[in-house]
Amino acid sequence: EYFLKFWRLDNHLTLSLSRSAWSMQLIAKFRLMQSNESLINILVPSYFCNSSLAPLREMNANLFFYPIKKNGEPDMEEILKILSENKIDIVIAAHFFGNHIDLSDLSAAARASNIWFVEDCAHLLYLPEENAIKSDFKLFSPHKFLSIPDGAIISVNKDIFNSLDELNGFEELYREYVKKGSSQIKVYVWLFKRLLQKLNFGVKLGVKDYYDDEEINTTKGFFKPSMTPFSQTLLSELVDHIQEEYTARYENANAWKNKICSRYPSAKIVFKEEGRFSIYLLGFKFSDEQDLQDALTWLDKMNYPTCTWPDLPAEVLEDENYFRNSIELRNKSIFFHVHSSINKKHIESSF
């Protein structure tokens, strides 16, 4: 399909689903089928959306979590300890907020232990070829960047298949997912919300409850696995304008950065600023608690498009010391939307 062209890679199978959460479950189910085991063990970064793990929880996957460093990189020392003590089938690692994270050591460790390595690129609009590493799966989420109600891309390295039969088996499992249908009604809901946003009618932006996230452990309310035809059609039109989206996000991010950093000296960009390939969200971590509270009050009053990230898994929240970097990032950061429907001049003039 034309809408997949931007994410096609040599020697890779490129497929679409509605959400990357379903892509992770698809991978896990196929690995389970290949292993002939009754349970699958998956290693996940502690700094990760709990709601995205719902499809894995519904298949009773055994989830392990590893800590991250303050710069967002995996804590390899702790990961190697986990790998030495547990039989892990799949390891997931993520590039955060448009930053390319160095995952080469984790990729090598996974290969050495016959572990499938899933590279979560949901926060990247694209991954430049010169930064590509050997991962078994790459997950992209264009719906996070472009104006479509749903849409995720799974890129599968064909080298993981030992035979043509295995490749055909994966494609057959994928077709079973697609047969479950798509969520056309949710498309109408999305269109209605978009209309309200355009009219600026009854839309409350910002953070509702900074410290409390809704705990979502089931797929109730999710888009069905198959990407909707509506989104496929839209993406076919938008895929030729990705550079425009990238430019708009970069400009909006700079506008937010200039304003927030000048108003709150303790606010620093989450992770590195250089090397951003695409900006999903722009985050500021506050080293001063009073600055954070003042910012939350002010941003709520101004009704700015802000949010928190992520909704941490309960397993992470229960071990504050081991996962302190992830918890601190969650509880001391504010994130700004930078998508192209926001006008940079509006940001600059609204302060």
Side-chain angles (χ1 to χ4, degrees):
E1 298 91 337
Y2 184 77
F3 70 89
L4 294 175
K5 73 166 192 173
F6 190 74
W7 294 275
R8 291 193 188 280
L9 298 169
D10 290 341
N11 196 42
H12 280 66
L13 181 66
T14 307
L15 305 167
S16 67
L17 288 167
S18 64
R19 291 287 190 268
S20 287
W22 290 121
S23 300
M24 289 189 287
Q25 190 193 64
L26 175 66
I27 295 166
K29 285 197 172 186
F30 190 73
R31 177 73 178 208
L32 197 57
M33 289 167 54
Q34 295 297 98
S35 69
N36 292 317
E37 300 286 343
S38 59
L39 187 67
I40 190 166
N41 297 327
I42 303 176
L43 185 57
V44 185
S46 55
Y47 196 56
F48 207 78
C49 279
N50 180 61
S51 55
S52 296
L53 299 174
L56 295 177
R57 293 188 188 278
E58 287 188 339
M59 63 176 286
N60 295 318
N62 193 16
L63 301 179
F64 295 77
F65 295 89
Y66 64 82
I68 63 165
K69 296 179 180 180
K70 290 187 176 181
N71 63 0
E73 293 180 1
D75 187 329
M76 284 305 302
E77 183 177 350
E78 292 301 321
I79 288 173
L80 292 175
K81 286 182 183 178
I82 295 171
L83 297 185
S84 68
E85 297 170 358
N86 303 275
K87 179 186 178 297
I88 301 298
D89 299 290
I90 297 172
V91 62
I92 300 171
H95 301 286
F96 298 111
F97 315 121
N99 287 296
H100 174 262
I101 305 294
D102 185 2
L103 303 175
S104 54
D105 288 344
L106 182 52
S107 172
R111 289 201 307 274
S113 300
N114 192 30
I115 297 169
W116 279 359
F117 179 44
V118 178
E119 190 176 4
D120 183 356
C121 306
H123 289 189
L124 296 174
L125 190 51
Y126 69 100
L127 184 63
E129 188 173 345
E130 62 268 22
N131 294 99
I133 61 172
K134 186 173 178 56
S135 56
D136 300 305
F137 303 88
K138 288 181 172 62
L139 311 182
F140 294 93
S141 294
H143 76 92
K144 293 181 181 293
F145 290 89
L146 305 172
S147 187
I148 55 177
D150 69 301
I153 310 297
I154 175 173
S155 180
V156 186
N157 189 335
K158 292 182 180 179
D159 288 342
I160 70 167
F161 303 113
N162 295 317
S163 65
L164 182 59
D165 285 343
E166 283 192 7
L167 171 59
N168 292 337
F170 185 87
E171 291 181 315
E172 178 59 31
L173 182 61
Y174 167 75
R175 284 192 290 271
E176 288 180 16
Y177 266 61
V178 174
K179 284 179 182 177
K180 296 177 183 178
S182 60
S183 301
Q184 293 296 336
I185 293 178
K186 287 187 177 297
V187 170
Y188 298 125
V189 174
W190 179 85
L191 286 169
F192 181 67
K193 288 182 177 179
R194 291 284 297 173
L195 177 61
L196 291 180
Q197 288 174 350
K198 291 290 185 181
L199 297 175
N200 197 26
F201 179 77
V203 178
K204 182 69 172 74
L205 303 175
V207 179
K208 182 179 180 181
D209 193 331
Y210 181 77
Y211 293 103
D212 291 324
D213 295 310
E214 181 183 3
E215 187 173 359
I216 300 174
N217 290 319
T218 72
T219 58
K220 182 180 180 181
F222 276 34
F223 273 79
K224 292 180 181 179
S226 181
M227 185 177 178
T228 60
F230 179 82
S231 290
Q232 292 181 21
T233 301
L234 271 183
L235 187 54
S236 294
E237 296 296 323
L238 294 171
V239 74
D240 291 324
H241 302 280
I242 283 180
Q243 184 59 43
E244 296 169 22
E245 179 68 25
Y246 170 83
T247 300
R249 284 174 174 270
Y250 184 81
E251 291 178 349
N252 287 339
N254 277 338
W256 284 125
K257 171 189 165 186
N258 293 336
K259 295 300 182 180
I260 297 301
C261 289
S262 62
R263 187 180 180 98
Y264 299 105
S266 74
K268 305 298 180 185
I269 299 290
V270 172
F271 304 144
K272 61 186 179 182
E273 291 185 63
E274 70 279 0
R276 289 176 180 263
F277 301 135
S278 45
I279 303 175
Y280 169 48
L281 294 171
L282 181 68
F284 296 91
K285 182 182 177 185
F286 290 74
S287 58
D288 182 85
E289 181 64 23
Q290 188 58 53
D291 270 2
L292 172 62
Q293 297 304 321
D294 288 349
L296 288 170
T297 301
W298 175 64
L299 293 168
D300 181 67
K301 179 182 177 182
M302 300 300 290
N303 198 31
Y304 286 138
T306 59
C307 64
T308 59
W309 199 94
D311 55 324
L312 291 174
E315 297 92 333
V316 173
L317 295 171
E318 289 167 1
D319 197 338
E320 294 183 18
N321 184 53
Y322 190 57
F323 298 119
R324 59 186 176 277
N325 288 338
S326 296
I327 295 174
E328 186 176 281
L329 273 168
R330 164 59 185 82
N331 291 338
K332 293 189 176 182
S333 301
I334 302 174
F335 292 87
F336 287 75
H337 295 283
V338 296
H339 46 77
S340 59
S341 62
I342 300 173
N343 191 313
K344 180 188 71 169
K345 292 182 180 179
H346 176 70
I347 299 173
E348 294 171 336
S349 63
S350 61
F351 288 78

